[in-house]
């Protein structure tokens, strides 16, 4: 195994990464092994005037993208990356949330599954989009690549969100997307802007019907998702629960769906109108 630094601050130096105050355009990764198993990302910044939550820090990483050649494999926000880690690895990163108006808030050790056999002639790149956040300054970002010396069976993870704005009326509607020619569907993350609270039982998307090769199969209930590490238990009692409480996760790893030779579509039971949602299929390449 080789752990290679992809992005870091001055070494030696008392820092948690390199300055991240502007976008990082597509930057080539120089592979150090036969197989890139995963990336690890950390983000930290300084607090001023008022406390800064973990969610705010993660929003500073508006989008992280990993590409193999022209293929986009990962394209997620900082919050989505933590949700993917919780779903794939059943782990959470190390996080510290500032509670006054001085000091730092940080999220370190976000594991991002890549599972990529390195191929000669293929360019591997990453990019990161920065979004300024109130009371959060001097952000830094760190990235590590974890390689194996021998290639593994898995041929790559794809996690790219499908954005969907709910229509102006409640009821059943199609998401207008078809997943096919990709590989095997290992699970689904669904982000809803509105989630159940003390006063309402509503998600933006309350139920989701899977349509496999034109036939309706599983009906996914947001009332009955699979456990997402960091939120199950008593969500109000944990800061990581607050980060993840708007996600529902359904795990298909015991018997993944074929979305290579077959196709998958979705029907949504919309119960909150005109709000943004994200469907994140987690796929391993064929």
């Amino acid at each position: 195994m080789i752990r290679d630094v992809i992005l870091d601050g001055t070494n030696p130096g008392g820092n948690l990464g390199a300055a991240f105050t502007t976008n990082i355009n597509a930057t080539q990764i120089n592979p150090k092994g036969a197989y890139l198993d995963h990336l690890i990302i950390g983000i930290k910044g300084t607090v001023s005037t008022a406390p800064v939550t973990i969610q705010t820090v993660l929003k500073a990483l508006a989008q992280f993208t990993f590409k193999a050649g022209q293929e986009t494999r990962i394209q997620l926000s900082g919050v989505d990356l933590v949700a993917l880690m919780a779903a794939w690895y059943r782990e959470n990163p190390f996080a510290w949330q500032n509670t006054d108006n001085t000091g730092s808030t940080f999220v370190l050790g976000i594991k991002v599954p890549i599972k990529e056999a390195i191929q000669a002639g293929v360019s591997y790149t990453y990019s990161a989009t920065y979004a300024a956040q109130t009371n959060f300054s001097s952000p830094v970002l760190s990235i590590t690549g974890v390689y194996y010396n021998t290639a593994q069976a898995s041929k790559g993870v794809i996690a790219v969100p499908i954005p969907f704005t709910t229509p102006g009326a409640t009821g059943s509607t199609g998401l207008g997307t078809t997943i096919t020619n990709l590989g095997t569907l290992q699970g689904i993350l669904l982000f809803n802007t509105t989630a159940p609270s003390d006063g309402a039982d509503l998600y933006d998307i309350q139920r989701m019907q899977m349509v496999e090769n034109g036939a309706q199969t599983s009906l996914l209930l947001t009332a009955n998702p699979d456990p997402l590490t960091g939120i199950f238990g008593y969500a109000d009692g944990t800061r990581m629960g607050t980060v993840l409480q708007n996600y529902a996760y359904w795990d298909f790893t015991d018997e993944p769906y074929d979305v290579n030779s077959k196709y998958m579509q979705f029907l949504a039971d919309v119960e909150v109108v005109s709000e943004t949602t994200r469907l994140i299929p987690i796929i391993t390449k064929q």
Side-chain angles (χ1 to χ4, degrees):
M1 178 183 287
I2 301 171
R3 288 177 174 255
D4 184 51
V5 171
I6 295 172
L7 181 68
D8 191 16
T10 302
N11 178 15
N15 59 74
L16 290 175
F20 180 50
T21 54
T22 60
N23 296 345
I24 300 173
N25 296 324
T27 303
Q28 189 161 336
I29 296 171
N30 182 22
K32 294 299 196 306
Y35 184 83
L36 177 54
D37 185 70
H38 63 279
L39 299 175
I40 306 174
I41 298 174
I43 184 168
K44 172 263 179 184
T46 301
V47 173
S48 63
T49 308
V52 171
T53 65
I54 296 169
Q55 297 99 304
T56 297
V57 171
L58 291 169
K59 288 177 182 177
L61 181 55
Q63 182 172 285
F64 177 83
T65 301
F66 171 80
K67 288 187 175 184
Q70 296 303 309
E71 294 184 15
T72 300
R73 299 293 175 78
I74 304 291
Q75 191 171 70
L76 299 174
S77 68
V79 182
D80 287 345
L81 289 172
V82 171
L84 176 62
M85 177 180 176
W88 185 274
Y89 291 108
R90 295 175 172 83
E91 298 173 354
N92 298 131
F94 170 41
W96 175 266
Q97 181 166 296
N98 174 269
T99 57
D100 54 29
N101 59 2
T102 61
S104 301
T105 297
F106 56 77
V107 184
L108 308 177
I110 305 170
K111 292 174 69 174
V112 184
I114 302 295
K115 308 297 179 184
E116 181 72 21
I118 302 302
Q119 302 176 59
V122 175
S123 176
Y124 301 95
T125 62
Y126 77 92
S127 60
T129 302
Y130 171 70
Q133 302 296 315
T134 302
N135 299 325
F136 185 64
S137 60
S138 303
V140 297
L141 189 71
S142 62
I143 306 173
T144 295
V146 179
Y147 296 87
Y148 294 157
N149 291 316
T150 55
Q152 308 294 307
S154 180
K155 297 181 181 178
V157 173
I158 302 171
V160 177
I162 300 168
F164 177 73
T165 300
T166 58
T170 60
S172 181
T173 186
L175 293 190
T177 188
T178 300
I179 303 173
T180 191
N181 297 322
L182 290 174
T184 54
L185 181 62
Q186 304 288 338
I188 289 175
L189 281 165
L190 174 66
F191 174 86
N192 286 292
T193 295
T194 293
S197 64
D198 192 40
D201 297 337
L202 298 178
Y203 282 100
D204 296 310
I205 296 176
Q206 202 88 359
R207 298 166 184 84
M208 194 160 59
Q209 176 69 61
M210 300 179 71
V211 183
E212 187 179 5
N213 270 15
Q216 295 186 7
T217 55
S218 295
L219 179 61
L220 309 179
L221 306 182
T222 49
N224 291 321
D226 288 313
L228 191 60
T229 300
I231 183 170
F232 267 58
Y234 190 62
D236 281 356
T238 68
R239 291 186 172 92
M240 195 56 66
T242 303
V243 171
L244 296 172
Q245 66 185 359
N246 288 69
Y247 290 89
Y249 172 58
W250 296 279
D251 182 0
F252 309 140
T253 53
D254 287 340
E255 192 173 25
Y257 288 91
D258 176 3
V259 289
N260 190 57
S261 61
K262 300 180 180 180
Y263 69 87
M264 186 72 72
Q265 298 169 317
F266 302 92
L267 299 173
D269 170 17
V270 171
E271 293 301 329
V272 181
V273 302
S274 304
E275 284 198 334
T276 57
T277 68
R278 295 189 297 278
L279 179 71
I280 306 173
I282 306 171
I283 297 167
T284 50
K285 282 180 63 64
Q286 189 69 24

